[in-house]
């Protein structure tokens, strides 16, 4: 065996061992570069997806803005329609309060003629409850019309109470003149003197009206409800029940007002009071929708 070749062989083996890690290092670097390129490609694809999603979101936002503008326009139209309905409702209510549904003046007897001033002066003012003056200005005088009370049985009963009739007429003339506080005092004094008189139901109604027109809703409701409790079949019962609802609405008791209006529709269908009650119910529903 040639021992001279042994060092040469060893040197060659050592060189091969040194060259192997370098080759492996080059292979590992290439793999890492390939992996980085794949990651960059994935990032580019993710960015494109993100940009597409952003574009879709922008489109959805624009569509929602268009829907919001459309809804706002519809709300404005509904508000305008509600205002128109309120104006129509107020005009109809004013016709009802001014006696548009009352009997023709030619059918009224002479009992509705104006009474003399001394009859009103004979009523003691200390027994009357004055109407509280509201913070709003007193509305202009309304043209009121009244129908004589109906007496079932002996119609001559109307002629037996001259003092009662004169006191009632004096109070009603004061109401027609727009002096609501004075009218309230006179009607209250009348009821104190004639609590069971022929004109007592009418006086209770117009006393409530004197309070209502000056926005004393609680006092007005007390009179209208008292009329309903004592005279449920009276000619003015329908108007009194309607006025109970109006007073409750004025006091912001909307649920109670709805119940009263529904009672008007159920008890007195086809009347002017029922038509006004139906309009008021629709108005309350519009308020609740808002």
């Amino acid at each position: 065996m040639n021992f001279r070749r042994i060092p040469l062989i060893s040197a060659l083996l050592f060189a091969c061992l040194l060259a192997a890690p370098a080759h492996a290092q080059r292979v590992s670097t290439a793999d890492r570069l390939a992996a980085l390129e794949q990651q960059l490609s994935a990032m580019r694809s993710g960015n494109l997806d993100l940009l597409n999603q952003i574009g879709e979101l922008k489109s959805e936002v624009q569509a929602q803005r268009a829907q919001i503008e459309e809804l706002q326009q519809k709300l404005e139209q509904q508000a305008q329609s509600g205002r128109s309905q309120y104006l129509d409702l107020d005009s109809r209510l004013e016709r009802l309060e001014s006696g548009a549904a009352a009997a023709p003046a030619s059918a009224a007897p002479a009992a509705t003629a104006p009474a003399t001033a001394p009859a009103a002066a004979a009523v003691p003012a200390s027994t009357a409850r004055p109407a509280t003056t509201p913070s709003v200005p007193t509305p202009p005088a309304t043209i009121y019309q009244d129908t004589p009370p109906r007496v079932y049985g002996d119609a001559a009963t109307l002629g037996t109470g001259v003092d009662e009739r004169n006191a009632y007429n004096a109070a009603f003339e004061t109401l027609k003149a727009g002096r609501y506080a004075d009218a309230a005092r006179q009607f209250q004094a009348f009821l104190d003197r004639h609590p069971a008189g022929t004109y007592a139901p009418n006086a209770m109604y117009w006393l409530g009206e004197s309070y209502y027109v000056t926005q004393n809703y609680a006092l007005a409701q007390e009179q209208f409800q008292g009329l309903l409790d004592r005279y449920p079949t009276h000619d003015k019962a329908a108007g009194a029940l309607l006025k109970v609802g109006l007073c409750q609405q004025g006091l912001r008791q909307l649920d109670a007002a709805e119940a009263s209006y529904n009672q008007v529709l159920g008890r007195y269908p086809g009347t002017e009071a029922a038509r006004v009650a139906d309009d008021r119910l629709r108005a309350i529903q519009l308020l609740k929708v808002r």
Side-chain angles (χ1 to χ4, degrees):
M1 184 175 179
N2 191 355
F3 291 99
R4 292 180 179 179
R5 294 181 179 179
I6 293 175
L8 181 59
I9 294 171
S10 299
L12 289 173
L13 291 173
F14 183 73
C16 288
L17 292 172
L18 292 176
H23 176 69
Q25 185 178 5
R26 286 195 297 272
V27 173
S28 177
T29 302
D31 292 339
R32 288 199 298 270
L33 289 175
L36 288 173
E37 289 178 354
Q38 291 179 356
Q39 291 178 0
L40 288 174
S41 177
M43 291 176 63
R44 292 192 188 98
S45 178
N47 289 336
L48 289 175
D49 292 340
L50 183 60
L51 290 175
N52 292 333
Q53 291 178 3
I54 292 174
E56 292 176 357
L57 289 174
K58 287 182 178 179
S59 300
E60 291 179 0
V61 169
Q62 291 177 353
Q64 290 177 354
R65 286 178 178 174
Q67 292 178 356
I68 290 174
E69 292 177 356
E70 183 179 358
L71 290 174
Q72 288 177 343
Q73 185 176 4
K74 289 182 179 179
L75 286 174
E76 291 177 357
Q77 292 175 354
Q78 289 180 355
Q80 181 64 32
S81 176
R83 285 192 291 268
S84 300
Q85 290 182 4
Y86 275 123
L87 292 176
D88 179 68
L89 175 62
D90 290 337
S91 64
R92 293 178 64 178
L93 180 60
E94 184 178 355
R95 289 197 302 270
L96 177 63
E97 293 177 346
S98 62
S106 58
T112 58
T116 58
V123 178
S126 60
T127 60
R129 289 187 299 175
T132 305
T133 303
S135 58
V136 296
T138 302
T142 305
I143 301 176
Y144 292 98
Q145 295 181 5
D146 192 24
T147 55
R150 296 183 182 180
V151 178
Y152 301 95
D154 184 10
T157 305
L158 285 175
T160 60
V162 178
D163 293 338
E164 176 188 350
R165 185 176 67 248
N166 290 341
Y168 173 83
N169 287 337
F172 189 75
E173 289 298 321
T174 303
L175 177 67
K176 289 170 60 178
R179 294 157 47 200
Y180 304 114
D182 293 337
R185 283 191 287 269
Q186 287 181 268
F187 279 120
Q188 184 61 59
F190 173 88
L191 290 171
D192 291 339
R193 295 184 61 184
H194 309 282
T198 304
Y199 289 85
N202 295 52
M204 292 179 69
Y205 182 88
W206 294 118
L207 176 58
E209 180 68 19
S210 301
Y211 288 133
Y212 176 80
V213 77
T214 53
Q215 299 181 2
N216 289 288
Y217 299 122
L219 292 175
Q221 182 181 348
E222 179 182 349
Q223 298 303 321
F224 293 127
Q225 189 61 52
L227 191 155
L228 289 171
D229 295 339
R230 293 178 58 185
Y231 309 98
T233 60
H234 193 267
D235 298 338
K236 291 190 177 297
L241 183 54
L242 173 64
K243 285 299 180 69
V244 168
L246 294 174
C247 292
Q248 291 166 337
Q249 188 172 355
L251 294 171
R252 306 301 182 186
Q253 301 171 359
L254 298 185
D255 292 338
E258 278 188 291
S260 297
Y261 295 146
N262 283 318
Q263 289 182 30
V264 175
L265 294 176
R267 295 183 187 179
Y268 312 103
T271 62
E272 182 67 18
R275 286 190 289 272
V276 175
D278 185 60
D279 289 339
R280 286 286 178 168
L281 280 173
R282 294 180 182 179
I284 291 177
Q285 291 171 0
L286 286 175
L287 290 176
K288 289 187 174 182
V289 168
R290 295 179 186 177

